[in-house]
């Protein structure tokens, strides 16, 4: 099955993953101008009225860039997200081309997005979630596998993509420690259509995170990533040193109460997740400098092309 038209005009087959706190119009614009899908979580625009301004800024800037890739907005489909209706309505009004949904199958959201020609990609961490999303009518799946930054699963990408491809021949985006052009090609070889990259873009001037966060990304390796559900109620990957700085022992973290999962308007201020306890994927060990988004994408493109040529010659 071919990709939807909106995903066919990319420089390299990459979607910049939406990142809490870090994602902002400038980051998205630079990703799109560089030729990959740029995205941000709707909840990053605070107060909620700012979302309209963010979308207008992105649209007006990209309107002057005919070769720019499309952009996406991430919606947290969870009962505690008291902004969901507002944020979806705002995105529908702007006809956001790609909506990325997370946590629960977006049954009520999909018809409204399809009505104006938008597409929906849904985050999943296992086969059961994938089946539910497809039953809801999503256009594609984002397989969030072991090693991905933020909320992530534990399955090997080879295991999950292999099982999902047995019943779904549509668009698949693969996530999990992808930080180089080699990994992008590996994702495609495994059966994906696109790679999902987040952590690599934290170490850019455009990302809305403190400089010390970016420096921690540079010093960290895969072994410095802690997987826990303590901080948000959903399992995710975090930088060990930020966990320690927040007063926790990474080797003795208690489990959270799933009933306390909260993605409401005040949750970030209360929990200080993402802001003080920093998320990152296991691909951090491949990041050694803070450079602009344009340079990151250019390097990924060079590596991706070189990897394709190397394998072509080997065959």
């Amino acid at each position: 099955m071919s990709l939807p038209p909106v995903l066919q005009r990319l420089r390299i087959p990459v979607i910049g993953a939406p990142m809490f706190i870090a994602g902002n119009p400038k980051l998205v614009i630079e990703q799109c101008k560089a030729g990959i899908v740029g995205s941000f979580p709707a909840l990053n625009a605070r107060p909620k009225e700012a979302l309209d301004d963010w979308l207008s800024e992105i649209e007006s800037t990209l309107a002057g860039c005919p070769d720019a890739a499309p952009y996406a907005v991430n919606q947290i489909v969870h009962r505690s997200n008291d902004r969901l209706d507002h944020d979806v309505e705002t995105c529908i009004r702007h006809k956001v081309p790609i909506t990325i949904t997370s946590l629960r199958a977006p049954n009520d959201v999909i018809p409204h997005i399809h009505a104006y020609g938008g597409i929906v990609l849904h985050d999943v961490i296992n086969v059961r979630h994938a089946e539910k999303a497809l039953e809801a009518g999503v256009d594609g799946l984002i397989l969030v596998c072991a090693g991905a930054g933020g909320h992530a699963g534990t399955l090997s990408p080879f295991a999950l993509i292999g099982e999902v491809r047995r019943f779904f021949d549509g668009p698949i985006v693969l996530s999990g420690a992808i930080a180089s052009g080699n990994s992008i090609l590996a994702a495609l070889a495994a059966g994906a259509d696109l790679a999902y990259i987040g952590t690599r873009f934290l170490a850019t001037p455009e990302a809305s995170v403190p400089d010390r966060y970016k420096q921690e990304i540079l010093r960290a390796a895969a072994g410095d990533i802690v997987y826990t559900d303590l901080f948000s109620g959903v399992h995710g990957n975090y930088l060990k040193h930020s966990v320690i700085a927040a007063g926790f022992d990474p080797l003795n973290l208690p489990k959270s109460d799933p009933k306390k999962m909260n993605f409401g308007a005040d949750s970030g201020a209360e929990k200080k997740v993402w802001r003080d306890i920093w998320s990152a994927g296991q691909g951090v060990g491949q990041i050694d400098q803070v450079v602009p988004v344009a340079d990151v994408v250019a390097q990924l493109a060079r590596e991706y092309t070189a990897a394709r040529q190397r394998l072509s010659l080997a065959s």
Side-chain angles (χ1 to χ4, degrees):
M1 178 178 176
S2 62
L3 288 172
V6 72
L7 292 174
Q8 292 180 6
R9 50 191 178 91
L10 306 180
R11 179 181 181 184
I12 51 176
V14 170
I15 294 178
M19 299 181 290
F20 283 112
I21 306 298
N24 63 78
K26 186 175 182 181
L27 178 66
V28 171
I29 289 167
E30 291 305 311
Q31 289 175 323
C32 294
K33 287 170 62 177
I36 68 170
V37 175
S39 72
F40 71 93
L43 288 173
N44 279 11
R46 294 173 185 265
K48 64 182 180 182
E49 290 76 18
L51 180 59
D52 183 69
D53 295 332
W54 281 31
L55 295 174
S56 295
E57 179 182 351
I58 291 169
E59 291 163 357
S60 61
T61 303
L62 295 182
C65 306
D67 296 327
Y71 74 96
V73 176
N74 174 223
Q75 303 284 2
I76 302 297
V77 184
H78 188 267
R79 61 180 176 273
S80 71
N81 180 5
D82 51 17
R83 284 183 42 169
L84 182 61
D85 290 343
H86 168 274
D87 290 350
V88 169
E89 290 171 4
T90 302
C91 288
I92 289 171
R93 189 168 68 253
H94 281 266
K95 297 183 177 180
V96 170
I98 304 167
T99 297
I100 296 171
T101 52
S102 303
L103 289 187
R104 295 196 177 184
N107 303 64
D108 298 333
V109 174
I110 293 173
H112 302 289
I113 295 171
H114 283 174
Y116 66 80
I119 68 169
V120 179
L121 306 176
H122 187 67
D123 286 347
V124 302
I125 62 171
N126 56 45
V127 168
R128 181 173 63 86
H129 292 167
E131 291 173 336
K132 285 188 173 182
L134 293 174
E135 289 171 3
V138 300
D139 300 284
L141 300 171
I142 300 171
L143 309 187
V144 187
C145 298
H151 295 141
T154 58
L155 293 177
S156 160
F158 299 110
L160 185 53
I161 200 169
E163 292 190 22
V164 171
R165 274 298 183 212
R166 293 170 72 92
F167 58 84
F168 180 59
D169 66 353
I172 286 181
V173 188
L174 190 63
S175 173
I178 299 176
S180 70
N182 293 332
S183 299
I184 296 170
L185 185 56
L188 270 59
D193 299 288
L194 300 150
Y196 205 52
I197 302 179
T199 301
R200 183 64 190 85
F201 292 103
L202 287 171
T204 63
E206 293 88 351
S208 299
V209 296
D211 286 341
R212 65 184 189 279
Y213 187 169
K214 298 175 185 180
Q215 292 304 311
E216 186 61 38
I217 291 288
L218 302 188
R219 67 178 283 212
D224 295 312
I225 302 302
V226 176
Y227 186 70
T228 177
D229 65 352
L230 176 62
F231 304 117
S232 71
V234 181
H235 275 95
N237 284 312
Y238 303 90
L239 287 165
K240 178 174 65 177
H241 292 98
S242 70
V243 173
I244 294 172
F248 297 94
D249 179 359
L251 299 179
N252 293 285
L253 292 174
K255 289 186 65 65
S256 73
D257 181 355
K259 296 180 180 179
K260 295 182 179 179
M261 190 189 308
N262 185 4
F263 293 91
D266 297 327
S267 62
E270 293 176 0
K271 293 176 177 292
K272 299 185 179 179
V273 183
W274 319 110
R275 187 184 68 188
D276 300 316
I277 301 169
W278 299 331
S279 173
Q282 292 178 3
V284 288
Q286 302 171 59
I287 305 170
D288 55 15
Q289 58 182 332
V290 176
V291 296
V293 165
D295 293 345
V296 172
V297 176
Q299 180 178 344
L300 291 172
R302 289 193 300 270
E303 294 170 348
Y304 175 67
T305 299
R308 292 184 62 179
Q309 292 175 342
R310 184 175 67 251
L311 292 183
S312 176
L313 291 172
S315 63

